[in-house]
Amino acid sequence: MERDIKILAIESSCDETSAAVVVNGRNVLSNIISSQIDIHTKFGGVVPEVASRKHIEVVSLVAQQAIEKAGITFDDIDAVGVTYGPGLVGALLVGLQYAKGLAYALNKPLVGVNHIEGHISANFIQYKDLKPPFVCMVVSGGHTYLVYMKDYGKFEVMGQTRDDAAGEAYDKVARAIGLGYPGGPKIDKLAKEGNPDAIKFPRANFHDESSLDFSFSGLKSAVLNYLNQKKMKNEDINRADVAASFQKAVVSFLVDNAMKACKLKNVDKIAVAGGVAANSCLRETLKNAGCEKNIEILFPEIILCTDNGAMIGSAAYFEYMKGTRSPLSLNAIPNLKLGER
Ligand code: KG4
Ligand code: ZN
């Protein structure tokens, strides 16, 4: 039997400082997450400079806790995995510098991980037998991708957003209707009290009908226009109806394209990843569509959907097994693309 590979992974690309110990890419021994949400809520969104400073304050403590909770010592790990992009450059640099220092001091390999690849890998933790090929939909605050995962570490981007990410649209619309940050969970909750068919918000039309791309900025503008018109006419705004109608527009776009992607690649599995994968309407609508078309729909549990170190530990393992070793000169790449190194 092959020896277990233990990876200590560090994630600091946005507003969560996280460290995790993951065995063989699938078994999580610890997943410590220190969230900055309360701090950024005051500003209505993530303030990059504040995020970097908070990461500095907690990163070594979070890593230490991950090791302790896993019941191991730093010497027991086989490699240090770390997110090096995409994300906020200052925030990424904090985790990266810490990971590099640790790898050097312990004389262990460093494995740089793409944050999006991490989100996708959360599914390998949730579903122990999951193997490629499958279609993955990554929907987060910064990214919206439809990806065909041919093999471990091999991705083909089939569609992506041409402007705002799905989570970004949620956050912007939430702010417009006075719900605050982060908007996704708040719209999700309020929409349950509203009528999704109350307002018809448009879907972006592309010239190329076969495109699996997304666009959400027109939808966001349509919501803002609707709110402005109502205000100008001094009419009441039913915020729950706005939330539910907006959500229906986002979710139907995501679900339609995801189903088309499966058909195109002739696969019978869609794995969803990223913060918006926590959305209850997306979960239900996609599951229903999957039932109809005999497609299995996979969602990681909520804690694995939003940013966390365990997903980075899983992706780092598969990279490690492919032979990926990053130099100590590895730099943060804020706009790192999926499949690029
Ligand atoms: O993946 P994530 O934690 O961070 C990024 O890498 O961006 O995603 C955060 C995003 C935010 O835009 C947040 O509003 C959204 O995920 N989100 C949700 C829900 N929970 C988090 N969006 C819709 N419904 C939710 N329940
Ligand atoms: Zn993320």
Side-chain angles (χ1 to χ4, degrees), residues 116-117 120 133-139 143-151 153-160 212 214 257-258 261-262 265 267 269-273 338-339:
I116 306 297
E117 192 176 334
I120 296 172
F134 55 86
V135 164
C136 188
M137 182 159 68
V138 186
V139 272
H143 309 276
T144 308
Y145 281 113
L146 265 175
V147 177
Y148 174 52
M149 190 165 184
K150 278 181 247 182
D151 201 348
K154 288 211 173 119
F155 311 94
E156 180 191 325
V157 176
M158 301 180 71
Q160 57 189 304
L212 292 181
F214 302 96
N257 280 10
C262 275
K265 292 292 177 192
V267 296
K269 262 186 234 113
I270 301 177
V272 191
L338 196 61

Side-chain angles (χ1 to χ4, degrees), residues 108-129:
K108 308 268 179 182
L110 179 76
V111 181
V113 171
N114 181 310
H115 180 79
I116 306 297
E117 192 176 334
H119 273 302
I120 296 172
S121 292
N123 285 283
F124 294 127
I125 297 173
Q126 188 71 43
Y127 301 97
K128 307 291 180 212
D129 301 324

Side-chain angles (χ1 to χ4, degrees), residues 115 119 140 307 311:
H115 180 79
H119 273 302
S140 76
D307 291 350
M311 67 184 200

